[in-house]
Amino acid sequence: MTNGETNGMTDPTEDVLAGVGPRLRALRRARGATLAALADETGLTASTLSRLENGRLRPTLEQLLPLARAHGVPLDDLVAAPATGDPRIHLRPVRRSGLVMVPLTRRAGGIQAYKVVHPPAAKASKPRPRTHEGYEWFYVLNGEVRFVLGEEEFRLGTGEAAEFDTRVPHWIGSAGDRPAELLALFGPQGERAHLSPAEPGASLAAP
């Protein structure tokens, strides 16, 4: 009897694990990330990541958890857990640099939608504008937003929106004593900038 068979039948666990590698590779390529960059994000070596993607290494939970965080997807997406018949969408918030980011889309690559919650102004870090490749759009769902773009500063309230070239230094934060809630759209470059682990003391740029 082979390792992948039980009583002449294929072990479903082996089938699930066999599909993890191609999904990991597709997610990384959709983000435009190299193995070296992903290694920096996850703490796994580039060699380990390559072996996981090629199916030469059986993935463990300790490896899959940081990969799911880096790619911004639920762990279920990596292992293709079977549907339970529950039609509800289970949103899993991600915390980065004091922000709460809730993914609203679950596809790899392309434009992604997030709900982003900024803490009250008194609890936020000082503006530290950043730049990265891409173009972004956001809409203020609740609260008031302070938006720094280059040498200019704007205040946006509920129902207002902005779009901008992210190669211009930018920063967003709550302008009031309540959290500010935004609906944000950005591409793969923005997703990497916002969801990659921040350096100590660094502030996350605009969503």
Side-chain angles (χ1 to χ4, degrees):
M1 185 179 298
T2 64
N3 291 335
E5 296 181 350
T6 303
N7 296 327
M9 300 180 63
T10 302
D11 185 346
T13 301
E14 293 296 331
D15 289 341
V16 169
L17 293 178
V20 171
R23 280 188 288 276
L24 289 174
R25 182 166 55 248
L27 285 167
R28 177 177 61 79
R29 289 179 175 175
R31 294 174 56 211
T34 64
L35 287 172
L38 186 57
D40 289 339
E41 290 183 59
T42 61
L44 303 173
T45 67
S47 173
T48 295
L49 294 170
S50 177
R51 292 168 62 201
L52 286 171
E53 291 186 2
N54 292 326
R56 296 197 302 268
L57 180 65
R58 182 187 178 104
T60 66
L61 183 61
E62 288 76 14
Q63 294 165 336
L64 292 177
L65 285 174
L67 285 167
R69 285 195 296 268
H71 292 313
V73 300
L75 185 61
D76 288 356
D77 283 6
L78 295 185
V79 298
T84 63
D86 187 346
R88 294 172 297 179
I89 298 175
H90 301 282
L91 305 176
R92 294 172 172 81
V94 177
R95 295 181 181 273
R96 287 290 186 273
S97 299
L99 307 186
V100 177
M101 305 183 66
V102 184
L104 303 178
T105 51
R106 298 179 60 178
R107 62 182 180 274
I111 300 298
Q112 304 291 346
Y114 280 82
K115 178 181 178 180
V116 185
V117 182
H118 292 260
K123 297 182 178 180
S125 59
K126 294 181 180 179
R128 297 180 63 180
R130 291 175 54 186
T131 63
H132 56 85
E133 292 296 320
Y135 199 81
E136 298 182 7
W137 174 95
F138 70 85
Y139 173 88
V140 184
L141 295 168
N142 285 295
E144 187 179 9
V145 162
R146 180 185 177 191
F147 176 34
V148 176
L149 182 66
E151 300 298 323
E152 298 185 87
E153 182 173 323
F154 306 89
R155 295 290 179 102
L156 289 85
T158 301
E160 293 189 286
E163 57 182 349
F164 58 97
D165 186 333
T166 55
R167 291 173 296 183
V168 178
H170 56 279
W171 179 90
I172 287 180
S174 173
D177 57 3
R178 297 184 303 153
E181 300 181 0
L182 311 180
L183 172 64
L185 301 178
F186 43 78
Q189 303 98 328
E191 191 172 30
R192 286 197 299 273
H194 304 315
L195 295 178
S196 298
E199 296 177 0
S203 174
L204 191 66

